[in-house]
Every structure is written in C-alpha cells, then in structure tokens.
Amino acid sequence: MITSVYFIEVTYLLASALFVMGLKGLSHPETARRGMFLAEAGMFMAVVGTLMNREIISFSWIIAGLIVGSAIGAAMGYWVPMTAMPQRTALSHAFGALAAALVGIGEYLVRAGEMGRIKLGALDFEVMLGSLTFTGSLIACFKLQGILRGTPITFKGQNIFNMSLLAVILFLFGMVIHDPLQPAHFYLLIALSFIFGIMLVIPIGSADMPVVMSLLNSYAGLASAATGFVLSNNVLIIAGTLDGFSGFILSILMCRAMNRSIGNVLFGAFGSVIQDTGAAAAGGTMREVQLEDVAVQLAYARQVVFVPGYGMATAQAQHAVRELANLLQHRGVDVKFGIHPVAGRMPGHMNVLLAEADVPYEALYEMEQINPELSTTDVAVVVGANDVVNPDARDNPASPIAGMPIIEVDRAKSVVVLKRGQGKGFSGLENPLFYKPVTGMLYGDAKSTLTRLAHTVQKL
Ligand code: NAP
C-alpha cells in the first residue's frame, strides 16, 4: 500500500516537472515540438500514476473511456485541418471543463455532507468554472465554425444582465457552503453557470475569439486545480494552476498585441459597429499588378520580406511560400519573414505553419525586429494578411484598431499584396495600404499565386 502511494506521488512529481519543462519549451518555436513531447510524456505519467490508485474498483469503464477518448482524439488530430484548429481547441476546452464539472457533481453526491467549508468552496468553484467554460467554449467553437453568427450578438442592458446573473451565482455559491445539503442551490448554481457561459461569449465577435478561448482555457485550468483540491490530487492542482495562469498570461499578451484591454474584449462587443474612418473609405483605387512583373521584381531584389496572415493559412500556402523563398535565396536575395503576434487566428499560427513547411527559424523575425528593416526592404510581400498590416492602426486615431501595433510594410520601397479580391480583414475594416501608390495588388488564391510566381522566377 505504502509503495503504491509512494509510486503515485513520484509519478505525479515527474509529471508536474515534465509539464513545467513542456511549457518552457512551448515558449519558443525552435523548442516547441520538444515542449509538446515533454508535456505529452507528463500527461502519460499522470495517467499511469492515477491508474495505480487503489481506490479504483473496476477498470472496465476506465478502459472503455480510454479507447473512446483516444479514438476521438486521434481522429480529430488526423482529420481536423490546421485552419480549423481554433474551434477544435475550443471543443477540447469545452469537454475538459465539462469533465471537471462532472467530477465535482460526483464528489457532491458522494461526500457533500462530510466536506469542510474550504473543500466546499473549491467544489463550488470547480462546478461553476467548469459549467460556464463548457457552454462558453461551445459558443466560441460554433462562432468560429460559422454555425453561429461571428459578429457580436447583443441586446440592450446585456452587461447589466450578465452582472446580475453573476451576482445570483455568487449568492448560490455562498449558500452551498452555508448549507451543502440543499441540492436545489447546488443544481441551480450549475444551471445558471451554464447560462452565464453562453451570455459571456455571445456578445463577443469572432475576431476576439482567440483571446476569449485563452481566457476560457485559463478557467478550465483553474476548474481542474479546484478539482485537485477537492480530490486531494497534487498533479491536478499543479497542472490546473499552470494551465490557468499560462492561459491568463497569453490572453494579456494577445490583448497587448491588439492594443486592447481584457475588459474591452469581454464587454466591448468589438466588431458590432464598423465605422470605417480609414483613408481607403474616402475613395481611391487599388493598383493591380501582373504576376510576371512581380516575379522580375522579386528575382532582382536585394531584400524581400514575406508577411504572412490568415489568408496563408486558409490557402495552405506555407509550402509554396517556402519554395519561392528558397528560389530567391539561391539567386542571392536576402529573404526574411515578418511575423505579427496576432496574425492568423491563434497565437503562433504563422510560426506553426511555417515550421511545418521547414522554413528555418532564423528566417522568422518578430514584428519589433522586422519593422526597423522595412525601410531598406525592396519588396514586402503580404501573403493573405490584412489587419496586421493596416496603417490606419498607426495613422488614424479614429480607427477602431487605432494603436494596434502593425508590421509597417508601407515603409518598404515596394509592396505586393497577395489576396483573392476585395475581402476585408477579420476586423471588417478597409485597409488604406491597398490604395497606396507603393502597393500593387496581385489577386488570386495565395497558394496558386505563389506557385506560379516560383515557376516564373525559375525561368528567369
Ligand atoms: P485578416 O485581417 O483576417 O485578413 C486575412 C486576409 O486574407 C483577408 O483580407 C482575405 O482577403 C485574405 N485571404 C483569405 N483567404 C485567402 C486565400 N486563399 N488566398 C489569399 N488571400 C486570402 O488576417 P491577419 O492580417 O492575419 O489578421 C488577423 C486578425 O485576427 C486580426 O484582426 C487580429 O487582431 C485577429 N486576432 C488574431 C488572434 C491570434 O491569436 N492570431 C487573436 C485575436 C484576434 P480576400 O478575401 O480578398 O482574399
């Protein structure tokens, strides 16, 4: 018995250390894969340790759960495309949070009468966060998948309604601690938390969904940590806390990259009113350029900077851009990639795609590193990016995205924008960059345009 407890605690300790090392690895693209493997090994250790628990009566349900869960996880990993990764992540958060809430309900049914106040508080916290994260994450997933309208769904007095709902939930929270043997309070707390999760996320536009998801991820982590307190399980406390705080820090970093506050993201209904104050809205024309001319421009340039955005992800153009970059490098062109922290639809989106296409890490430059180089860049090639290169954020204080740091491609000697047509960015705003004399528009799907550019450059 003692050996088994000792073994479990050692595996949990190892698992926790692997989680910390995994997170550290994930903080840089170069070490991210290794970080992921370490975190996976940590999760494996945690599962092994848990299976050694002597309180397990029968393994049949556990094995059934393992088979079904692994099959679903493997299928999602294999078939869900990279572009659908944000909604897939939202779905994982939803079910992780639901699991935490269900464990809480199970514990309530078995032990409510014998729990002290602190444990009851942790249990309340677990089911409240688990329930609201479940419905909130489902709404985030539906919005990102287009099942629900992506723009904010609002009504008059929504923030007041939400605050009142939260006040009732917190009252019930106290009532459960005061009298745990009143199941009505407990189940009403859960039902209202489900509704609160929906109400919290529907007023938020899809463009802000990654921030919301990272916040919900943080809630799911904190719910797991609370589960750890209820079950006296150390690995759940450590992993849940790591998850909770890293999710929260990520949300803050994303908001900073968009020059917004978390309060503005959660309660600002960003994207509901699109007032186009941009220079573009005042008129002007976009200058279309020919593929052959761009190929010559690139082939004889000294320095070329590619700036990828969400369009590169939808077009799956990462391999094509790498091929073109390789060809240019062989011709002696200095090629760099400028990566905006919120390009695409999730943090690190561009890094992941470019790493998949074997673009070397040394060629990737963060926004702060690439901006000073752009004035001496011959051609900046915007590959399906829009908002992250919108100069209105810098030049127009009336713009809804004013103050958001951008990659300043308009400072380059020449800009070529690869996009399919006149489509706007995720903020729904016009982009004056496309109307500037320095900019040429090369229309078409990014992957096909880049492939044709590479063929043409090869022939020069
Ligand atoms: P974006 O502003 O959404 O613009 C993407 C552009 O790609 C569109 O204008 C579209 O124009 C073009 N496009 C789409 N499919 C294409 C294809 N197959 N080939 C070529 N072009 C294609 O993207 P972004 O510049 O990357 O900006 C990201 C946005 O998401 C920002 O507003 C950011 O604040 C927001 N956001 C991101 C995160 C994150 O973590 N990454 C978090 C929060 C918010 P056409 O339709 O004309 O082709």
Side-chain angles (χ1 to χ4, degrees), residues 7-19 234-235 238:
F7 181 82
I8 292 172
E9 289 308 319
V10 170
T11 38
Y12 281 177
L13 189 66
L14 279 175
S16 305
L18 285 164
F19 288 149
N234 290 338
V235 80
I238 296 172

Side-chain angles (χ1 to χ4, degrees), residues 206-211 254 257-258 260 270 308-317 340-350 382-389 401 404 418-428 434 443-447 449:
S206 311
D208 282 335
M209 234 14 98
V211 181
M254 275 196 267
M258 295 189 292
R260 318 248 319 273
F270 183 68
Y310 180 62
M312 183 184 82
T314 47
Q316 286 293 291
H340 192 284
V342 292
R345 291 291 178 270
M346 60 181 181
H349 204 167
M350 299 299 115
V382 175
V383 184
N386 192 336
D387 292 346
V388 300
V389 291
I401 55 166
M404 167 176 153
L418 311 189
K419 68 201 293 284
R420 294 164 308 177
Q422 317 281 314
K424 292 180 180 168
F426 218 71
S427 66
F434 307 153
Y443 295 117
D445 173 76
K447 184 175 175 183
T449 307

